[in-house]
Amino acid sequence: MRFFRSCFLAAAMLAGGLCAAAPGTADPPPAAPSIRLATLRAARPLPPIRFLLTFDDGPDAGEDGSTPLILRQLADNPVTPGIKALFFVQTAHPRRGGGEAGKEQMHATCKAGHRLAVHSGLPDGHVSHTRLAPEELEASLLSGEADIIEQCRGAAQLVRPPNWAYDDAVQAVYRKLGLAMLMSDVNARDGKIYGWHISLRRRSHINSELAQVKVALSEQRLAPAGGVVPVVVSFHDTNDYTASHMTEYLQILVEEARDNGLALADPPFYTDGRQAERAARVRALSGVYARESWP
Ligand SMILES: [Zn+2]
């Protein structure tokens, strides 16, 4: 009887060798539950990841603007042609979406299949949502959404707070409007406000960010969507260095993911804007990321 119980256990642990042993063979001492769990966890392969690219602060419009330069590389690159991304825009600042060129750029970005969501709906632009009264924040988000809808068929039901600053009152307004707050797993740290405009260390930085992703994946902390785990990467499309090195960033992400032993989905980047938005909402509503602090 003891033998059969051991055999059942062993089968459950996918360690079938004991079952083949002749009756009368001495049972090995049962493994402690924590060791068995650790063995099972170690044996489970990591789920495939798909990079979900997000860009903050734009649009940066015009013939030589950073946003169109990024869009051209997302559309045509040697890694995954036709990448679709999420753009968290400043809809009313005169040098962003508030000017004529900015409006045209928002229209062009949506037309290319990307999804737009509000970063700021204020003419003053990049103001932390924590500095606004709840009714002021609500009005600015609704106005930002209306600005996007004017240029696009719809706005993504997502939001990213300027300066990554939020509190309970801010989140209550987001919830009231049905907006899911999306942070990120991998931060390119290319926001000019962080003083890392030109980064020669970007490869090692991305590598260490992806090492954190691997830990989070092995602990099953990142919510899957559609059979893959979307890994949210944040850039700033107002950064001209980011814009002129976008293709290189795509290659670095893929290469450093492999270097970390991560399995990449096929394709490794989202190529459908709606699918990217759905995946972003799953991650946003779970509220758990590989990073535990921002930026
Ligand atoms: Zn920002």
Side-chain angles (χ1 to χ4, degrees), residues 8-183:
F8 175 77
L9 253 181
M13 291 171 64
L14 305 175
L18 181 61
C19 299
T25 306
D27 289 350
S34 61
I35 296 172
R36 287 205 303 267
L37 252 177
T39 311
L40 282 171
R41 208 167 266 166
R44 183 179 293 150
L46 294 177
I49 62 164
R50 177 167 288 148
F51 290 117
L52 203 171
L53 304 186
T54 67
F55 295 87
D56 292 1
D57 292 1
D60 187 64
E63 190 82 345
D64 301 319
S66 292
T67 307
L69 182 53
I70 287 169
L71 292 190
R72 286 198 289 277
Q73 291 167 84
L74 295 183
D76 185 15
N77 66 74
V79 185
T80 304
I83 293 172
K84 304 299 184 229
L86 300 173
F87 288 81
F88 291 95
V89 290
Q90 304 189 63
T91 68
H93 189 283
R95 285 182 43 233
R96 300 296 170 216
E100 273 316 304
K103 289 185 205 297
E104 281 171 28
Q105 184 57 57
M106 290 202 297
H107 182 76
T109 304
C110 303
K111 211 172 161 202
H114 306 282
R115 297 291 287 160
L116 267 56
V118 179
H119 193 43
S120 160
L122 290 172
D124 290 348
H126 212 270
V127 177
S128 294
H129 291 171
T130 47
R131 291 179 52 200
L132 305 175
E135 55 279 12
E136 202 181 354
L137 173 59
E138 183 178 338
S140 78
L141 292 170
L142 289 172
S143 157
E145 202 172 1
D147 291 338
I148 293 173
I149 291 169
E150 205 177 308
Q151 303 305 328
C152 309
R153 282 189 187 161
Q157 295 303 290
L158 293 158
V159 61
R160 178 171 286 150
N163 305 314
W164 306 81
Y166 63 93
D167 56 22
D168 289 347
V170 165
Q171 287 188 290
V173 174
Y174 293 167
R175 272 195 301 275
K176 183 179 174 191
L177 300 182
L179 297 172
M181 181 178 78
L182 185 70
M183 307 308 253

